[in-house]
Amino acid sequence: MGITQAYAAQSEDSGLAPYNFERRALRDDDVAIEIDYCGVCHSDVHVVENDWGGSQYPVVPGHEIIGRVTAVGSAVTNYKSGDLVGVGCMVDSCRSCSACDSGLEQYCDEGMTATYGGIDRHDGSVTMGGYSDNIVVSERFVVRVPENLDPASAAPLLCAGITTYSPLKHYNVRKGHKVGVVGMGGLGHMGVKFAKALGAEVTLFTRSESKVAEAKKQGADHVVVSTDRSQMKAVSNSFDFLLDTIPVAHDLNPYLKCLKHDGTHILVGLLSAIEPPVNAGLLLLKRRVIAGSLIGGMPETQEVLDFCAEHDISCDVEMLDIRNINDAYVRMKKGDVKYRFVIDMNTLKSG
């Protein structure tokens, strides 16, 4: 495949800088893609800075990838050169367990292979992601991007989009349901859009008065400022579902009180311990449930792109020159982006 241009981190405190490496040769089921756009996910920051431990350096982040097919392996049947395609958070799985057989590769019994920082099941190499000018991926883990979607705005759908769409579909959210979306970031604003498109009455929970108008602009029917006790009390026992997009530890107890009996609090942002502890009485006395959801399988990832094309849904993005990626990370950690950075890979190719 020749030399791949990329940006990589060499250690947890090195920041990202230009880095060249060689992609593997095409396997029979592989698709080679020239990358046009790559979204910047908060997970990228966590892995680059080793916040979760176990990061392997050098690391080339990026798992919200949009580009054009440039070559295909001899066994590929679904794609051809020139097709507009996407690659999300995973590039392989065992392909034979019950989860994989059900199109839920993200829950693979052996663990999915992440788009970056994972271990290739065939040659043992560390996977390198989309902050690069090309990528090679098995066709099973490639999705087709509808031509009527703006490709730059479509990139975050491959992580932020599918992360919020999948649980709403799993729980069959529909007209008549009341859904609360907790948090107004990259995930939260997509959750509002999807819940509305599915017919639900949507309330955005935010800590900031300044986000009330923005939430309404995104389509929220109501906004609750979660730091206002009177507002929280007013919505007690109100919601069928809460879609919780907050990525850091926070108190779930006040939100659980907002669920009806049999209501479900769905965590999609938090990957660490729940702190402070949950009062079990809030669950038992109303048969409430705390659930979790991780991205989505390949069939559902294709489904979310098609759904967005049909309903004219896109992620709100700020375009980024890759040479400014380290500044973008600083801004992301401050919450200073509405709502997703997307790297224009022409800035890598021209730089």
Side-chain angles (χ1 to χ4, degrees):
M1 292 298 295
I3 297 299
T4 294
Q5 294 179 274
Y7 265 58
Q10 301 293 335
S11 70
E12 62 187 52
D13 56 5
S14 68
L16 291 146
Y19 174 72
N20 293 340
F21 67 99
E22 190 169 348
R23 291 282 186 192
R24 68 168 186 262
L26 281 176
R27 297 169 186 151
D28 289 347
D29 68 336
D30 275 341
V31 174
I33 302 165
E34 181 179 7
I35 300 174
D36 295 322
Y37 302 101
C38 184
V40 181
C41 177
H42 214 285
S43 298
D44 301 348
V45 179
H46 290 309
V47 174
V48 163
E49 299 182 357
N50 201 25
D51 293 335
W52 296 330
S55 295
Q56 300 187 68
Y57 299 95
V59 58
V60 176
H63 58 205
E64 299 177 344
I65 300 164
I66 300 286
R68 295 275 178 183
V69 176
T70 57
V72 298
S74 60
V76 171
T77 59
N78 293 321
Y79 303 100
K80 63 182 186 306
S81 292
D83 286 347
L84 184 64
V85 297
V87 177
C89 300
M90 54 186 168
V91 293
D92 208 352
S93 66
C94 81
R95 310 192 191 196
S96 60
C97 68
S98 61
C100 291
D101 285 344
S102 301
L104 297 170
E105 296 91 345
Q106 77 276 29
Y107 301 128
C108 175
D109 288 349
E110 294 183 7
M112 68 177 184
T113 301
T115 303
Y116 64 87
I119 303 299
D120 188 286
R121 281 174 151 81
H122 302 276
D123 62 22
S125 63
V126 177
T127 56
M128 301 288 191
Y131 292 14
S132 56
D133 60 10
N134 71 82
I135 195 167
V136 177
V137 184
S138 167
E139 73 168 329
R140 175 165 174 166
F141 292 86
V142 176
V143 289
R144 189 176 302 278
V145 179
E147 292 284 351
N148 64 320
L149 283 181
D150 173 68
S153 298
L157 298 177
L158 296 162
C159 178
I162 186 60
T163 294
T164 48
Y165 179 82
S166 181
L168 296 175
K169 288 293 290 186
H170 175 73
Y171 288 104
N172 194 26
V173 168
R174 59 194 184 277
K175 186 176 181 179
H177 282 150
K178 291 186 176 181
V179 175
V181 177
V182 184
M184 187 60 176
L187 294 178
H189 91 289
M190 292 306 305
V192 169
K193 292 180 180 185
F194 287 138
K196 280 292 294 181
L198 291 167
E201 181 180 332
V202 182
T203 298
L204 190 281
F205 287 81
T206 177
R207 293 175 58 86
S208 174
E209 287 274 4
S210 65
K211 292 188 177 181
V212 172
E214 177 65 18
K216 295 287 186 70
K217 180 181 175 182
Q218 293 293 340
D221 297 295
H222 315 285
V223 182
V224 171
V225 178
S226 58
T227 52
D228 186 323
R229 291 185 179 181
S230 64
Q231 290 189 36
M232 292 291 284
K233 185 176 181 179
V235 294
S236 296
N237 304 304
S238 296
F239 295 94
D240 300 286
F241 301 99
L242 293 178
L243 184 69
D244 188 333
T245 70
I246 299 175
V248 296
H250 55 287
D251 191 354
L252 302 190
N253 294 291
Y255 297 105
L256 290 172
K257 294 176 183 178
C258 297
L259 287 170
K260 299 176 180 177
H261 73 274
D262 286 335
T264 303
H265 187 125
I266 309 164
L267 298 172
V268 295
L270 183 65
L271 286 173
S272 58
I274 295 174
E275 296 177 353
V278 168
N279 179 347
L282 294 175
L283 304 179
L284 274 63
L285 296 177
K286 293 286 185 178
R287 202 164 60 185
R288 296 171 175 131
V289 174
I290 298 175
S293 181
L294 178 69
I295 55 171
M298 297 315 300
E300 201 166 54
T301 304
Q302 184 64 66
E303 181 181 321
V304 73
L305 292 173
D306 296 338
F307 183 88
C308 288
E310 178 183 353
H311 294 273
D312 194 25
I313 293 173
S314 63
C315 185
D316 293 13
V317 302
E318 180 177 335
M319 298 307 298
L320 182 67
D321 185 321
I322 198 168
R323 290 167 291 192
N324 298 325
I325 187 62
N326 292 307
D327 291 335
Y329 275 26
V330 172
R331 287 182 55 193
M332 283 177 64
K333 287 187 284 188
K334 294 178 179 178
D336 179 25
V337 56
K338 290 185 177 179
Y339 283 97
R340 207 70 156 189
F341 284 118
V342 172
I343 302 167
D344 181 348
M345 280 305 163
N346 285 317
T347 61
L348 173 62
K349 299 167 192 174
S350 64

